[in-house]
Amino acid sequence: MRAAAYVVGPLDGPGAALMDMARRLSFSAVLPYGGVAQAEQQANRTPVCFFLFAAVPDVGTLRGVAEAIRFCPSRRVRFSPLIYFSESPSIDTITRCINMGFDDVITMPFTRTRLMERIDRQIGQSHIYYETPGYFGPDRRDRVTGPSRAAESRIGGQFRRLEIVRNLLTGINVVRDDLYAAPAG
């Protein structure tokens, strides 16, 4: 697969297990996350980079990394899939990941078939992203765990709606980019 995987997390425990699992999934490169600058360089070599986040005791500690990726000026990094690997199907954890702009949350069991199916969903299909002052990520309004406040749900104020397709040969393609503003009242 012409995609790289960055593993975000400790180099032991869940991070080491995720690193081993990612190596068995046929990524062209599997690397520990070393910052956005490193990811930008890798994105020039492999058209798509996945960011695989290992389970942590408090998912909120991942906000800084998720925001650095989501608000990166490089399109290839900014629109990269962010996937959290959770040890339990906690609604709180899933909700927090959604609110940070994650593309997917995968819970145990982590079988090769299941992981490849979820990773494959990120490639070659249209994905809708929204950008507001406090959020950038996939459209999650149809989720039970989706944000409920107006500023987070894109029903209040100005926002951008982007349609993207990730392609393993050409990278990230923005198919549509629309700016919406609330009517002046």
Side-chain angles (χ1 to χ4, degrees):
M1 172 186 327
R2 286 201 52 191
Y6 278 104
V7 174
V8 180
L11 297 178
D12 59 357
L18 184 55
M19 191 79 105
D20 289 341
M21 190 171 25
R23 286 189 183 109
R24 292 191 303 268
L25 295 176
S26 304
F27 285 103
S28 61
V30 177
L31 308 158
Y33 177 72
V36 172
Q38 176 195 33
E40 287 178 301
Q41 290 175 352
Q42 182 64 41
N44 290 328
R45 291 188 291 276
T46 51
V48 177
C49 294
F50 281 76
F51 292 88
L52 311 177
F53 288 73
V56 293
D58 177 10
V59 75
T61 61
L62 301 174
R63 180 171 294 282
V65 175
E67 286 180 353
I69 295 166
R70 281 290 178 238
F71 292 98
C72 177
S74 167
R75 178 182 289 178
R76 285 189 170 184
V77 173
R78 182 181 182 115
F79 288 107
S80 294
L82 274 61
I83 301 174
Y84 182 70
F85 288 78
S86 181
E87 294 175 343
S88 69
S90 159
I91 294 294
D92 179 60
T93 297
I94 293 168
T95 301
R96 292 170 79 190
C97 286
I98 286 171
N99 290 335
M100 285 189 271
F102 278 76
D103 292 271
D104 200 356
V105 176
I106 301 175
T107 58
M108 294 174 96
F110 302 134
T111 66
R112 182 180 181 2
T113 302
R114 186 166 180 249
L115 295 178
M116 285 308 299
E117 175 192 299
R118 300 288 280 274
I119 287 169
D120 287 345
R121 287 183 193 174
Q122 302 300 323
I123 303 297
Q125 298 181 36
S126 174
H127 294 275
I128 304 297
Y129 273 64
Y130 279 89
E131 180 177 20
T132 69
Y135 177 80
F136 182 77
D139 180 9
R140 298 296 191 191
R141 294 172 301 162
D142 63 341
R143 304 285 187 172
V144 172
T145 55
S148 58
R149 295 193 321 250
E152 294 174 346
S153 64
R154 277 84 60 211
I155 60 174
Q158 181 173 312
F159 65 92
R160 282 176 68 194
R161 181 185 182 277
L162 301 112
E163 181 179 354
I164 67 156
V165 175
R166 297 180 186 109
N167 181 303
L168 293 178
L169 296 176
T170 60
I172 310 295
N173 302 299
V174 177
V175 179
R176 191 170 177 150
D177 184 348
D178 299 314
L179 181 64
Y180 295 90

